[in-house]
Amino acid sequence: MRKWILAAAAAAVFLLPAFGAQAQIVIKFSHVVANDTPKGKGALKFKELAEKYTAGKVKVEVYPNSTLYKDKEELEALQLGSVQMLAPSTAKFAPLGVKEFEALDLPWLFKDDEAYAKAMKGPVGQWLFNKLAAKGITGLAYWDNGFHMVSANRPLINPSDFQGLKIRISGSKIADQYFREVGSIPQIMAFSEVYQALQTGVVDGCENTPSNYLTQKFHEVQKHITVSYHAHLQYAVIVNSKFWGGLPADIRSQLTKAMDEATDYTNSIAKKENEDALEAIKASGKTTLHYLTPEQKAAWQKAMQPTYKWAKGRVGQEVLDLVAKELHIEMN
């Protein structure tokens, strides 16, 4: 019943433009991280620019830190129209039947931020967004949040160090696989529940970017963090297609401009935000940071390499070929 009430309320928002040019259009933008992160700051920048460029005809309400919905709930809420805009990690689309996005989670796929940015601005990013259309979702932009670190209450230096550890993952089966390759036990868990799970020992460790470790205080309940940068974290900014298509053309154009500028802003600050967060974590003295030697990194890469072969059955050959062509790499 609650879902239908929310959907009906959201439908009323869709109809606002039709009942008079003066009616204000409300966009509810929900996400699961803190305001003081690249995604959080990006959402607030979009709000600022959207309201400015539409001269107040659009009001953007930003709901951070899972205040409206947790990870598993937010996509359904978007499809029902209970919210209009989200920025989930791309790993979250598999439950909708769009597993191809998980190709982006392959370990050691992007050699640096520039390689990632080029791929997402090119055919790879657009091809993936096209897959969402049948789900009533329109992709607007990709937001960067850099590379993952990994943590536990014991040092994670060699692949064997993962043996038997319960590691929280966001839901990607690719991440599930590469952690299994090193002997750990992946656990899917909502982002909002991770701190308590680490604190109480429900899980032994997790992976995430420096900015998320800092703002969620994961570093305070993990004795060791390995600055491995073994996989990349990116978000897809998406909107309910019915809502987006029902907007007046001029409003949609102004919002597109706002999103383009907010995206440039978000992606420009992501690297520095993570660098600053890593320095803050180091300065806190609450955890020990470990850096892999070239030999140790090579051992991790070798241990996780079978994930690429396994991925063919999960995400399909087409997207793997597309990614390989764009990045000029061999998948196997």
Side-chain angles (χ1 to χ4, degrees):
M1 179 60 72
R2 178 174 175 270
K3 290 179 181 178
W4 291 112
I5 292 172
L6 289 171
V13 176
F14 296 161
L15 296 174
L16 283 176
F19 283 104
Q22 302 306 312
Q24 190 175 52
I25 301 167
V26 176
I27 296 177
K28 292 183 178 180
F29 190 159
S30 174
H31 64 80
V32 303
V33 302
N35 280 328
D36 194 23
T37 59
K39 177 161 67 172
K41 291 183 177 182
L44 293 175
K45 176 61 73 173
F46 172 72
K47 169 183 170 64
E48 172 195 331
L49 296 174
E51 294 176 353
K52 174 184 174 181
Y53 292 151
T54 62
K57 294 177 183 176
V58 171
K59 178 184 179 183
V60 179
E61 297 177 353
V62 177
Y63 298 90
N65 267 331
S66 306
T67 50
L68 276 187
Y69 299 101
K70 295 182 180 180
D71 304 70
K72 291 182 179 180
E73 303 166 345
E74 61 178 11
L75 282 169
E76 183 181 11
L78 183 81
Q79 290 178 303
L80 286 170
S82 304
V83 293
Q84 289 72 51
M85 192 172 289
L86 303 173
S89 67
T90 55
K92 303 291 172 54
F93 294 119
L96 292 180
V98 190
K99 300 175 183 178
E100 292 88 347
F101 276 90
E102 289 186 355
L104 304 176
D105 300 327
L106 283 164
W108 316 101
L109 180 65
F110 302 109
K111 66 178 182 179
D112 51 33
D113 292 298
E114 289 70 27
Y116 157 78
K118 183 175 182 292
M120 302 319 292
K121 288 179 181 177
V124 173
Q126 190 54 55
W127 187 89
L128 288 170
F129 271 161
N130 291 342
K131 291 288 182 180
L132 295 176
K135 309 299 180 181
I137 296 171
T138 298
L140 299 180
Y142 290 100
W143 287 0
D144 187 3
N145 194 12
F147 290 88
H148 281 303
M149 307 190 296
V150 66
S151 64
N153 286 324
R154 70 188 189 205
L156 300 174
I157 307 300
N158 302 301
S160 59
D161 296 329
F162 285 88
Q163 191 67 40
L165 291 181
K166 293 174 289 185
I167 303 291
R168 180 267 174 181
I169 61 171
S170 64
S172 169
K173 290 296 184 182
I174 296 292
D176 180 282
Q177 187 64 25
Y178 64 66
F179 277 123
R180 290 184 187 278
E181 294 290 352
V182 293
S184 58
I185 307 163
Q187 306 283 313
I188 297 173
M189 181 177 293
F191 187 68
S192 60
E193 299 170 3
V194 178
Y195 178 88
Q196 185 176 11
L198 292 171
Q199 185 181 44
T200 59
V202 171
V203 294
D204 300 304
C206 68
E207 65 172 357
N208 225 296
T209 60
S211 65
N212 282 343
Y213 265 97
L214 180 67
T215 57
Q216 299 297 322
K217 300 182 179 180
F218 295 161
H219 68 293
E220 296 184 0
V221 288
Q222 294 278 265
K223 294 179 181 178
H224 298 274
I225 296 176
T226 303
V227 188
S228 52
Y229 293 163
H230 60 279
H232 195 272
L233 177 59
Q234 58 283 319
Y235 307 115
V237 186
I238 56 176
V239 65
N240 179 292
S241 295
K242 182 179 178 182
F243 170 78
W244 190 247
L247 291 172
D250 61 328
I251 295 291
R252 191 164 55 246
S253 176
Q254 291 155 353
L255 292 177
T256 297
K257 179 183 178 183
M259 180 56 67
D260 289 345
E261 292 184 17
T263 297
D264 288 341
Y265 165 78
T266 305
N267 291 344
S268 71
I269 68 170
K271 186 173 183 179
K272 188 174 188 310
E273 289 283 317
N274 279 308
E275 289 173 351
D276 290 348
L278 189 59
E279 287 304 311
I281 291 170
K282 187 182 301 183
S284 75
K286 294 183 177 181
T287 188
T288 300
L289 295 177
H290 303 275
Y291 294 82
L292 300 176
T293 66
E295 293 76 18
Q296 290 163 347
K297 178 180 175 181
W300 283 44
Q301 290 172 322
K302 182 179 180 181
M304 293 179 173
Q305 183 63 29
T307 306
Y308 281 73
K309 183 176 181 180
W310 179 91
K312 290 181 182 180
R314 174 65 181 177
V315 302
Q317 190 67 48
E318 186 176 4
V319 67
L320 293 178
D321 288 344
L322 191 64
V323 170
K325 180 179 178 181
E326 185 67 29
L327 297 177
H328 305 291
I329 60 173
E330 294 289 336
M331 278 293 173
N332 288 296

